[in-house]
């Protein structure tokens, strides 16, 4: 199957993806790494309401991530 | 022998619970990230040796980019504790081990407390602890900190490690985290450092890794020759070239690869990563786009309804009867029996007792409010409140994360301002520090209870609720203005962990409530006691130290009449209100104490009709509302002022903050009074 890269913010609730690229700048990437998001991590979207932050499942935890940032993380949908 | 053990772990991994369990302390434990913003010390109980336990702030990694991480890292590298106890949340091992891999590199002895094992057992997951310990090369003790399980074993193990380390048999070991390609660059950087070991008080391998990552803090601290830094910089460029990414990312990815390899072999989970848990299902409702904010407001309203409703009034009447009936009667009897002088009688009954009782009657109410706040925090709802508010806050130039310190401000501004340390960005922090005192703290509650009881008896809880909302609205508006002017910039992107919902334990709630509430009782016995004596004295004597008939001619009266005109346009230009606002800077409760002494003279509490009667001659409901709004917003008390100074670390910003707050207070009260008058209230 042909996998397409898209921003994490476009994934709907209930979908999962693998992080491929992160374009948030060093500082943001550091913080994300501490919370478990690096290239290659699997990220699930628990909730994605237009306009607000997303709730993600990352490893065994739940993260709230602002929409702006979610648009800068490119994932491949699983 | 004496040892120091440092507790290190992710936020919300149970560090503070473990600290309490080891030391027998009752530190407050929350269910949102960032409870410990400063390091705390305690002494281990039940152990012969002298062991000091240091609870460091919760951190996700050892990169020095937030204040908490800096506090924790500096402590570890400078103070070199004998053992690092790394608390790992067993329900979230993979993420937690990221920090562990960095701790091991510091070269200090590490022992893992694998915490929350009860939740792992309940989920029927399996962890091969022996295999995990072997792959990490660190001893692991399973624990359930909240129930004290495994704590003794943990301490015994740590002690044993500390004793062996003391005789020099244990040294820092390194994990095989990195593949040969990356390892090559680390080894090269390490050998480049070899000639400068005398300048490096830390583990050289760790320094090599940090320099390779380009850690500016370490570079600044070590003051290494430029040639060496250049050489390592070249290694960094080569590494980045080879792996097609920046060094930090390459190293972070390698850590997670290493961890996931171990986790695959040692842990068996029943539930898959994305499967919806009960917490997720609750979140679907609580964070729903349309329901979230109405639900939040409804929750807060219920809290105020109960606190200021029948239950609150009942406790006020009860304490009032106790102090002004039983206790005042008894003391009165004693004084008469002893034949005390008139002035002493007046000082004790009209000054001290009147002043204290005006505050103490509200203590149960403050406790009720804190019990609810404790419930909201311990259950995990507070973190959701930040999430919900981010949508709104983002448009105002604030991160949703700023909402947590602000919500804590409902308790007391002092810890709330300290909690701004969880914010990564300096401007976000300054802004949040300025806005937090607009949140109505517990000490202001007696002011509203007094005024709302006297002027809005029929819808007391609604009026008080509106004051709390006013605080939030003014904070938001001020945020917009400050963001557009003195604190220009974008908010830091919103990113935080949402801890799973937990049902708070009764014990936890009581500890938490008491931890916050005890301060108010202590204050009543110290600051407010002193203030009551002070106020009584200065309203009884004039500048020639003669007792006056009319308090308006007393020292306070003269000062009050001097500053009162400032408040005339706000509706409360009488000298007593002016004095109350002034003395309220000592502690906000003192506003009520002052009103009690100045108006009541004797029988003084919110429920005593004489005070209400006296106040009703000075205030109308509109003036009372303007007064409440002013006391809500103006410069915080001295204690909060001190913390603002400390956290801002600048007099300029401190004066700006309190000046801004007072100006806003004046303006808001002015608008309320003038517009209200025009509308005929």
């Amino acid at each position: 199957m042909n996998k397409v890269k898209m921003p994490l913010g476009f994934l709907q609730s209930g979908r999962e993806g693998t992080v491929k690229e992160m374009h948030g700048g060093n500082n943001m990437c550091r913080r994300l790494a501490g919370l478990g998001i690096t290239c290659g991590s699997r990220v699930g979207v628990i909730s994605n309401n237009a306009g607000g932050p997303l709730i993600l499942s990352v490893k065994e935890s739940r993260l709230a991530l602002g929409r702006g940032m979610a648009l800068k993380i490119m994932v491949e949908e699983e | 022998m004496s040892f120091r053990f440092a507790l290190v772990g992710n936020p919300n991994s149970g560090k503070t619970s473990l600290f309490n369990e080891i030391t027998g302390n009752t530190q407050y434990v929350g269910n949102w990230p960032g409870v410990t913003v400063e390091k705390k010390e305690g002494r281990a109980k039940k152990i012969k040796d002298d062991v000091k336990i240091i609870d460091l702030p919760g951190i996700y990694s050892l990169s020095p980019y937030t204040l908490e991480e800096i506090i924790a890292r500096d402590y570890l590298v400078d103070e070199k504790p004998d053992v690092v106890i790394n608390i790992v949340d067993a329900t979230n091992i993979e993420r937690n081990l990221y920090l562990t891999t960095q701790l091991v590199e510091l070269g200090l002895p590490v022992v893992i407390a694998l915490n929350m094992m009860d939740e792992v057992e309940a989920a029927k997951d399996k962890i091969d602890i022996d295999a995990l310990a072997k792959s990490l090369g660190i001893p692991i003790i399973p624990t359930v900190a909240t129930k004290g399980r495994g704590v003794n074993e943990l301490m015994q193990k740590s002690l044993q490690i500390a004793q062996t380390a003391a005789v020099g048999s244990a040294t820092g070991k390194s994990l095989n985290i990195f593949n040969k390609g990356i390892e090559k660059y680390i080894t090269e950087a390490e050998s480049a450092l070899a000639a400068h070991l005398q300048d490096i008080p830390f583990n050289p391998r760790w320094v090599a890794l940090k320099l390779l990552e380009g850690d500016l803090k370490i570079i600044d601290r070590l003051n290494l020759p430029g040639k060496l830094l250049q050489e390592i910089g070249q290694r960094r460029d080569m590494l980045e070239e080879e792996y097609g990414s920046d060094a930090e990312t390459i190293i972070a990815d390698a850590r997670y690869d290493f961890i996931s390899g171990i986790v695959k072999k040692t842990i068996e989970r029943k539930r898959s990563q994305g499967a919806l848990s009960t917490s997720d299902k609750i979140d679907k409702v609580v964070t729903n786009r349309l329901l979230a904010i109405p639900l939040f407001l409804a929750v807060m309203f219920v809290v105020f309804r109960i606190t200021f409703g029948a239950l609150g009034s009942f406790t006020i009447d009860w304490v009032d009867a106790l102090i002004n009936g039983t206790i005042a009667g008894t003391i009165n009897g004693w004084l008469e029996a002893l034949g005390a002088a008139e002035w002493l009688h007046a000082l004790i009954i009209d000054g001290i007792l009147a002043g204290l009782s005006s505050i103490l009657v509200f203590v149960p109410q403050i406790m009720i409010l804190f019990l609810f706040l404790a419930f909201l925090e311990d259950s995990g709802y507070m973190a959701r409140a930040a999430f919900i508010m981010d949508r709104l806050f983002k448009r105002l130039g604030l991160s949703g994360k700023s909402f947590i310190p602000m919500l804590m401000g409902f308790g007391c501004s002092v810890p709330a301002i300290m909690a701004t340390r969880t914010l990564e960005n300096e401007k976000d922090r300054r802004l949040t520090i300025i806005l937090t005192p607009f949140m109505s703290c517990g000490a202001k509650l007696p002011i509203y209870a007094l005024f709302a009881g006297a002027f809005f008896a029929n819808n007391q809880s609604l009026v008080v609720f509106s004051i709390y909302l006013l605080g939030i609205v003014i904070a938001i508006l001020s945020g917009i203005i400050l963001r557009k002017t003195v604190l220009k910039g974008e908010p830091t992107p919103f990113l935080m962990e949402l801890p799973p919902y937990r049902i708070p334990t009764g014990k936890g709630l009581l500890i938490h409530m008491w931890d916050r509430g005890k301060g108010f009782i202590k204050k009543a016995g110290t600051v407010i006691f002193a203030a009551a004596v002070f106020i009584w004295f200065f309203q009884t004597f004039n500048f020639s130290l003669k007792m006056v008939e009319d308090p308006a001619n007393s020292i306070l009266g003269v000062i009050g009449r001097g500053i009162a005109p400032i408040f005339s346009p706000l509706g409360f230009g009488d000298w007593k209100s002016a004095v109350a606002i002034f003395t309220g800077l000592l502690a906000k409760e003192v506003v009520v104490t002052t009103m009690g002494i100045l108006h009541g003279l004797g029988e003084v509490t919110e429920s005593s009709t004489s005070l209400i009667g006296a106040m009703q001659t000075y205030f109308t409901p509109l003036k009372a509302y303007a007064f409440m709004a002013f006391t809500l917003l103006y410069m915080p008390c001295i204690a909060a002022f001190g913390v603002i100074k400390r956290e801002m670390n600048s007099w300029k910003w401190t004066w700006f903050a309190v000046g801004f707050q007072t100006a806003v207070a004046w303006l808001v009260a002015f608008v309320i009074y003038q517009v209200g008058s025009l509308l005929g209230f």
Side-chain angles (χ1 to χ4, degrees), chain A residues 4-9 17-23 39-41 69-77:
Chain A
V4 213
K5 261 191 270 185
M6 63 161 121
L8 176 58
T18 305
V19 177
K20 291 292 162 189
E21 292 163 26
M22 291 161 66
H23 303 281
C39 283
S41 318
M69 197 50 225
L71 294 174
K72 291 182 188 150
I73 297 176
M74 302 298 285
V75 296
E76 256 174 23
E77 192 172 349

Side-chain angles (χ1 to χ4, degrees), chain B residues 31-233:
Chain B
N31 186 19
W32 52 270
V35 176
T36 311
V37 283
E38 253 190 340
K39 60 177 197 283
K40 290 174 186 144
E41 281 190 12
R43 208 160 282 277
K45 55 170 189 181
K46 291 191 212 160
I47 287 177
K48 262 192 285 156
D49 298 75
D50 178 24
V51 176
K52 226 197 246 170
I53 307 290
I54 297 98
D55 188 18
L56 294 172
I59 48 174
Y60 294 108
S61 80
L62 281 183
S63 69
Y65 298 99
T66 66
L67 262 174
E68 303 154 291
E69 287 182 349
I70 294 170
I71 293 173
R73 190 170 103 169
D74 283 354
Y75 182 83
L76 293 175
V77 299
D78 293 332
E79 306 291 327
K80 296 194 173 56
D82 298 294
V83 176
V84 176
I85 300 179
N86 176 207
I87 295 98
V88 168
D89 175 357
T91 65
N92 189 5
I93 289 187
E94 224 178 314
R95 214 270 317 282
N96 278 247
L97 287 184
Y98 183 64
L99 176 64
T100 310
T101 59
Q102 301 181 35
L103 288 173
V104 172
E105 278 154 7
L106 287 177
L108 300 168
V110 179
V111 55
I112 288 180
L114 194 59
N115 198 24
M116 307 202 196
M117 283 303 286
D118 51 341
E119 291 187 26
V120 172
E121 285 153 18
K124 297 205 165 55
D125 291 343
K126 285 201 175 64
I127 302 177
D128 186 342
I129 293 177
D130 291 337
L132 187 63
K134 219 171 150 198
S135 357
L136 290 168
I138 310 171
I140 298 180
I141 310 291
T143 60
V144 182
T146 47
K147 295 177 188 143
R149 239 175 71 187
V151 173
N152 268 338
E153 291 87 331
L154 177 70
M155 291 312 289
Q156 290 313 324
K157 189 78 207 173
S158 309
L159 214 50
Q160 187 196 326
I161 294 172
Q163 279 154 353
T164 12
V167 293
S169 66
T171 46
K173 33 190 164 258
S174 77
L175 300 170
N176 280 322
I177 295 173
F178 303 104
N179 64 29
K180 275 194 190 128
I182 303 174
E183 192 62 48
K184 189 186 86 186
Y185 291 107
I186 302 173
T187 324
E188 281 173 7
E190 206 182 332
S191 45
L193 281 174
H196 303 275
L197 284 184
Q198 71 280 7
D199 302 328
I200 302 174
F202 317 127
N203 184 9
R205 185 182 157 87
W206 180 71
V207 176
L209 201 55
K210 289 289 126 184
L211 293 180
L212 210 53
E213 280 182 321
D215 187 319
L216 294 172
K217 280 262 156 40
I218 289 292
I219 294 175
D220 282 351
R221 268 190 72 161
L222 288 179
N223 201 13
L224 292 166
K227 201 171 141 261
L228 176 71
L229 294 177
Q230 214 174 7
E231 198 186 325
I232 294 179

Side-chain angles (χ1 to χ4, degrees), chain A residues 7 16-17 25-27 29-30 32 35 44 50 59 61 72 74:
Chain A
E16 269 184 31
N26 273 347
N27 226 342
C29 288
R30 256 175 227 134
L32 285 167
L35 285 158
K59 314 216 188 288
S61 61
K72 291 182 188 150
M74 302 298 285

